[in-house]
Amino acid sequence: MKLDPAVVELLRLDPEHTTVSSAGGGGCSSASTSKITSKFRDGTEKSFFMKTGKGEDAEVMFAGEHTSLKAIYDAVPSLCPQSYGHGRFSTQPTTSFLVTDFVNLTSRSAPKSSAPSLAAKLAKLHTTPAPVPDGHDKPMFGFPVTTCCGDTPQDNSFEGSWADFYANNRLRFILRRAEKSNSVDKELHTLVETTASKVVPRLLGDDHLNNGKGIAPVVVHGDLWSGNAGVGTIGSDSGAQDVVYDSSACYAHSEFELGIMKMFGGFGGSFLKEYHDMCPKTEPTNEYEDRVKLYELYHHLNHYAMFGGSYRSGAVSIMKSLVRKYGE
């Protein structure tokens, strides 16, 4: 396979000493993946991971993933592969690409280097204040670009209030996506609206969290289930360590990260204990489980929007329990 000149230029490679082969896993339904291996003049080799996809959806997705990985890498460089850029092929302008470090994945039980654990790295990410976005005078909830959770392009418009962002840019937004793909469902619509208008301000209001001090935005991966984390090496000199990829980042409440973990089983009780030792639960801690359940809801609704079917019942069950407790 020949490497497109746009990628050669981005990475400043010698095409005569570069090979491209197929690689597994694309992180979404429409992406293809490749491994790029290039030999440099000093005799060293470096491998890159490339995703490609056609059309505007792929272009949006790769721009979002590049900015997501950059935000995570800037805060905790060892947590994810570095992204080198994205763009369009010069020979096929309808094909977009994203290029990152290549992660040589190993078994989760393989011996690791002395690098911090996934829990420690994630805790560091979640205790590092988010940057101030261009055009704003303080950190905001949202993200500079659209990011995709699965195949869903998310509305990351900046908000000063986390409760407003979660109610509008996540719950009401994904309800509209779900209704577009599955038709309007009166019970679901009413439950989402009640949750967004009553449960969210009750559980996530700035005047409620941390004894009225509110929460500071931090970078979250956004789609952190076990399939988007692994153990591997980047480059020839590094030992195996915990890494994450296929990110869908935004500046959010740290506990938002835990919603999809709960949905898909997470990383185990010892992981959460180690994580919370370094990144304490938000006050009031007696509502922690319900906040995580509220964050899990978004992912049930997103899966319902993407795949329909059985994901509706999980969303309805969560909302009914939260509405009974906080929304009546």
Side-chain angles (χ1 to χ4, degrees):
M1 191 189 306
K2 194 174 180 182
L3 195 58
D4 187 87
V7 183
V8 171
E9 183 180 349
L10 172 72
L11 301 176
R12 298 180 179 178
L13 302 179
D14 178 355
E16 297 300 316
H17 295 93
T18 301
T19 59
V20 186
S21 56
S22 179
C28 68
S29 61
S30 54
S32 300
T33 60
S34 306
K35 180 180 182 180
I36 302 167
T37 304
S38 192
K39 185 173 283 188
F40 298 99
R41 288 179 180 175
D42 61 2
T44 60
E45 275 190 357
K46 183 169 175 63
S47 294
F48 304 90
F49 181 73
M50 180 171 69
K51 290 184 182 182
T52 57
K54 291 189 179 294
E56 187 180 337
D57 289 349
E59 187 172 26
V60 169
M61 180 175 289
F62 296 157
E65 187 173 347
H66 167 73
T67 310
S68 294
L69 288 172
K70 187 176 185 307
I72 295 170
Y73 189 88
D74 285 350
V76 188
S78 64
L79 180 54
C80 70
Q82 183 175 4
S83 180
Y84 294 96
H86 63 96
R88 295 185 186 186
F89 281 174
S90 55
T91 56
Q92 297 172 276
T94 58
T95 298
S96 296
F97 67 86
L98 168 75
V99 183
T100 73
D101 281 322
F102 188 87
V103 181
N104 291 289
L105 292 172
T106 60
S107 165
R108 289 185 189 274
S109 59
K112 296 181 190 177
S113 68
S114 58
S117 66
L118 178 60
K121 290 181 184 182
L122 197 66
K124 184 179 180 185
L125 182 70
H126 290 169
T127 52
T128 302
V132 177
D134 290 344
H136 295 270
D137 59 4
K138 65 175 185 177
M140 302 287 284
F141 298 101
F143 209 56
V145 298
T146 298
T147 51
C148 297
C149 193
D151 287 339
T152 300
Q154 302 172 118
D155 178 4
N156 289 330
S157 306
F158 286 119
E159 286 278 0
S161 159
W162 170 243
D164 288 348
F165 180 87
Y166 191 67
N168 297 323
N169 299 41
R170 289 297 178 261
L171 295 186
R172 290 185 174 112
F173 166 81
I174 201 61
L175 174 64
R176 292 193 294 273
R177 296 275 304 187
E179 289 180 340
K180 195 172 179 181
S181 54
N182 295 292
S183 78
V184 175
D185 177 325
K186 276 190 175 180
E187 182 189 30
L188 191 75
H189 186 101
T190 300
L191 279 169
V192 172
E193 189 51 46
T194 303
T195 302
S197 61
K198 294 186 175 181
V199 177
V200 170
R202 165 63 183 81
L203 278 177
L204 306 182
D206 291 332
D207 57 355
H208 180 63
L209 294 177
N210 281 331
N211 301 309
K213 295 175 184 173
I215 51 167
V218 298
V219 177
V220 297
H221 176 285
D223 192 14
L224 191 52
W225 63 292
S226 59
N228 286 341
V231 175
T233 59
I234 298 173
S236 56
D237 299 327
S238 64
Q241 58 180 304
D242 289 300
V243 289
V244 299
Y245 31 81
D246 292 341
S247 53
S248 174
C250 66
Y251 308 145
H253 181 201
S254 58
E255 290 175 356
F256 176 58
E257 196 85 276
L258 310 180
I260 196 160
M261 290 187 199
K262 188 168 187 296
M263 182 175 176
F264 288 120
F267 298 96
S270 60
F271 170 93
L272 279 178
K273 184 183 183 310
E274 183 185 357
Y275 168 81
H276 281 308
D277 282 346
M278 292 173 276
C279 183
K281 297 174 183 177
T282 301
E283 294 286 351
T285 56
N286 64 313
E287 293 173 358
Y288 164 84
E289 297 288 348
D290 289 330
R291 289 194 301 270
V292 174
K293 192 184 291 186
L294 180 59
Y295 295 146
E296 182 188 354
L297 168 64
Y298 170 70
H299 296 286
H300 283 273
L301 290 170
N302 185 39
H303 278 70
Y304 176 61
M306 289 190 292
F307 308 118
S310 61
Y311 289 106
R312 179 192 183 278
S313 62
V316 167
S317 174
I318 288 172
M319 287 187 286
K320 283 184 174 178
S321 69
L322 291 175
V323 168
R324 271 196 304 271
K325 196 167 180 181
Y326 299 104
E328 293 178 347

